[in-house]
Amino acid sequence: MNVVSIMAHQDDEMFCLGTLLKCRARGDRLFFITLTDGSKGFVQNPGIERAEAAKIRHEEMTALARAAGAEYINLAEPDEFLMDTPEVRMKLIEAIRAAGADLIFTHFGEDYNLDHTTTHQLVRHCAMHSSLPVLPTASAPLKSHPAIFLIEPHGPIPFAPTHYVDVSACQAEKAKLLMHHGSQEEALRKALGTGLGDLISRASSFRGLQVGCDHAEAFVSMPARGAIKARSVLP
């Protein structure tokens, strides 16, 4: 299968990265799609020029994708100003088709960041159209609607998982890969006093405790026509 992470920002894949690695282990191809340029993720340097910040975030995500054996597509919309426009919809439909998406991970419908919730809505709409011929793009429509799972949100937002994946065996590789996001490691430590490794470990340990393993990632299936399958698609 072709497994695709579609997120607003570079590093938002942190709560599905272990599952992606398990997909890779069973022979799936991995793709990362980000919708924004990530240029507003520099609380440690708020005066940085957008072009420089976007270049850093793009290089970090490119390095992570390369290390994971994945392909990376960056739509590079302005960070913190992601809008649902016809142009963005068409760019995302083309990206989903170009990746040949069979399985998508994206944001939960409620989150602290509007770029995240806008991405959720864009994926809901564009995944549907990715398998329909009415909106032509450079790549051909998909043969069928991809399965879609929503990642755990940040913060005190109610989230009742429908699916869990045991990621204990790849937790160390997941943490190592996330260190490619060096700018965000620095930003998190400045803003929250904690790093990426601590953040993912707390979440995955809690979800693992719920299902009897060391580390797990938790998901909700997107309640949309075509996005739920009558077969198992998670590793």
Side-chain angles (χ1 to χ4, degrees), residues 161-178:
T162 59
H163 295 74
Y164 294 81
V165 175
D166 182 350
V167 296
S168 305
C170 52
Q171 184 71 9
E173 183 181 1
K174 172 183 170 180
K176 182 178 179 180
L177 285 171
L178 286 172

Side-chain angles (χ1 to χ4, degrees), residues 15-20 105-106 149-152 159-165 167 207 216-221 234:
F15 290 133
C16 66
L17 184 54
T19 300
L20 293 174
F105 294 93
T106 194
F149 286 89
L150 311 176
I151 66 169
E152 185 168 3
F159 182 75
T162 59
H163 295 74
Y164 294 81
V165 175
V167 296
R207 295 304 178 186
E217 291 175 344
F219 306 98
V220 170
S221 52
L234 295 179

Side-chain angles (χ1 to χ4, degrees), residues 23-38:
C23 288
R24 184 191 66 185
R26 71 182 181 183
D28 295 339
R29 294 177 63 200
L30 304 186
F31 296 81
F32 294 99
I33 298 173
T34 56
L35 272 67
T36 79
D37 60 13

Side-chain angles (χ1 to χ4, degrees), residues 3-7 12-13 16 20 31-34 103-106:
V3 181
V4 187
S5 164
I6 304 179
M7 302 295 167
D12 286 339
E13 77 283 353
C16 66
L20 293 174
F31 296 81
F32 294 99
I33 298 173
T34 56
L103 170 60
I104 291 173
F105 294 93
T106 194

Side-chain angles (χ1 to χ4, degrees), residues 15-233:
F15 290 133
C16 66
L17 184 54
T19 300
L20 293 174
L21 294 176
K22 289 196 71 172
C23 288
R24 184 191 66 185
R26 71 182 181 183
D28 295 339
R29 294 177 63 200
L30 304 186
F31 296 81
F32 294 99
I33 298 173
T34 56
L35 272 67
T36 79
D37 60 13
S39 58
K40 296 304 178 184
F42 286 79
V43 297
Q44 74 276 31
N45 184 12
I48 189 173
E49 292 293 330
R50 177 188 170 191
E52 181 183 355
K55 181 176 183 289
I56 292 170
R57 299 299 300 277
H58 182 77
E59 289 175 348
E60 290 174 344
M61 190 71 224
T62 299
L64 185 152
R66 185 183 299 115
E71 297 183 39
Y72 174 42
I73 300 171
N74 182 9
L75 302 192
E77 292 295 310
D79 190 5
E80 301 308 326
F81 295 94
L82 179 62
M83 301 293 177
D84 182 351
T85 66
E87 293 77 17
V88 173
R89 288 188 185 188
M90 293 306 298
K91 285 169 68 176
L92 182 55
I93 292 168
E94 164 57 21
I96 292 171
R97 289 173 174 172
D102 298 301
L103 170 60
I104 291 173
F105 294 93
T106 194
H107 295 283
F108 189 55
E110 297 180 40
D111 209 316
Y112 75 98
N113 186 289
L114 190 58
D115 283 355
H116 294 187
T117 56
T118 301
T119 298
H120 169 93
Q121 294 297 338
L122 282 165
V123 170
R124 176 185 289 272
H125 184 80
C126 295
M128 175 183 68
H129 277 288
S130 68
S131 60
L132 299 175
V134 294
L135 296 176
T137 63
S139 299
L142 302 180
K143 293 181 179 179
S144 62
H145 194 299
I148 305 176
F149 286 89
L150 311 176
I151 66 169
E152 185 168 3
H154 297 267
I157 297 166
F159 182 75
T162 59
H163 295 74
Y164 294 81
V165 175
D166 182 350
V167 296
S168 305
C170 52
Q171 184 71 9
E173 183 181 1
K174 172 183 170 180
K176 182 178 179 180
L177 285 171
L178 286 172
M179 288 302 101
H180 286 286
H181 295 299
S183 68
Q184 298 314 286
E185 174 73 9
E186 184 181 356
L188 277 171
R189 291 201 175 276
K190 181 175 179 59
L192 303 177
T194 189
L196 287 162
D198 296 332
L199 189 62
I200 62 167
S201 182
R202 286 197 297 268
S204 62
S205 294
F206 173 66
R207 295 304 178 186
L209 182 65
Q210 291 181 320
V211 291
C213 63
D214 290 334
H215 294 277
E217 291 175 344
F219 306 98
V220 170
S221 52
M222 178 178 275
R225 185 186 71 182
I228 297 177
K229 305 299 181 182
R231 64 185 189 280
S232 177
V233 295

